[in-house]
Amino acid sequence: MSETLLVKHIGGCHCGAVRFEVMAPTKLEAFNCNCSVCTKKQNVHFIVPNSKFKLLQGEDCITSYTFGTHQAKHTFCKICGVQSFYTPRSNPDGKGIAPHCLDPGTVENVTVFKFDGQNWEDSVKANLHGIQSRSSDSS
């Protein structure tokens, strides 16, 4: 995230059981991953440090799915099935937030970068668009 001014975004799942707040810029830089699971669920997400994310409600309504290395925690609402955030394998110290799950009014723009999750190790090594620094509090 290249902007330094952060605003509070509020968001959640479709049924409203899961709600969260996240501090992030109004101009978001998101990733569109093409790994097997992200392709199936159209997982476009921006990454923030865990310190910038706060679950407001619904901890008891969240379940998770893992596969492969089991490092990514694909969390979703048990009631409606929407994944509004998750813990990415590339950034285990952060959250990947679905910009389309944010309430209207605080996002000015979303720029989407492609992330080649089918070749995950090479993509992380290349660190395109600074993906690994996105969960750092100094970014």
Side-chain angles (χ1 to χ4, degrees):
M1 289 178 278
S2 56
E3 282 187 39
T4 55
L5 179 63
L6 304 180
V7 299
K8 184 189 296 185
H9 302 277
I10 306 289
C13 66
H14 182 258
C15 72
V18 175
R19 299 291 292 161
F20 63 86
E21 67 182 39
V22 60
M23 296 301 293
T26 59
K27 294 179 181 178
L28 301 173
E29 294 181 346
F31 294 91
N32 185 6
C33 180
N34 68 351
C35 80
S36 60
V37 72
C38 288
T39 296
K40 293 281 186 185
K41 63 184 176 177
Q42 297 294 292
N43 185 24
V44 173
H45 60 280
F46 65 97
I47 299 170
V48 298
N50 281 330
S51 64
K52 304 284 190 245
F53 176 86
K54 181 179 179 185
L55 184 63
L56 299 175
Q57 70 181 44
E59 186 172 356
D60 59 331
C61 295
I62 296 173
T63 191
S64 66
Y65 171 72
T66 66
F67 71 100
T69 65
H70 302 284
Q71 291 178 336
K73 307 296 183 223
H74 298 274
T75 50
F76 57 95
C77 176
K78 292 180 193 178
I79 299 167
C80 67
V82 168
Q83 175 185 285
S84 50
F85 65 89
Y86 81 113
T87 303
R89 178 180 172 195
S90 61
N91 300 77
D93 55 345
K95 293 287 184 277
I97 312 294
H100 51 273
C101 288
L102 298 177
D103 295 349
T106 56
V107 175
E108 186 177 325
N109 183 54
V110 180
T111 301
V112 180
F113 301 109
K114 291 182 180 181
F115 180 81
D116 185 7
Q118 291 179 3
N119 298 293
W120 193 89
E121 287 80 7
D122 292 338
S123 295
V124 168
K125 267 187 208 169
N127 198 23
L128 296 176
H129 307 294
I131 191 167
Q132 290 192 289
S133 67
R134 302 294 174 124
S135 55
S136 169
D137 277 315
S138 61
S139 63

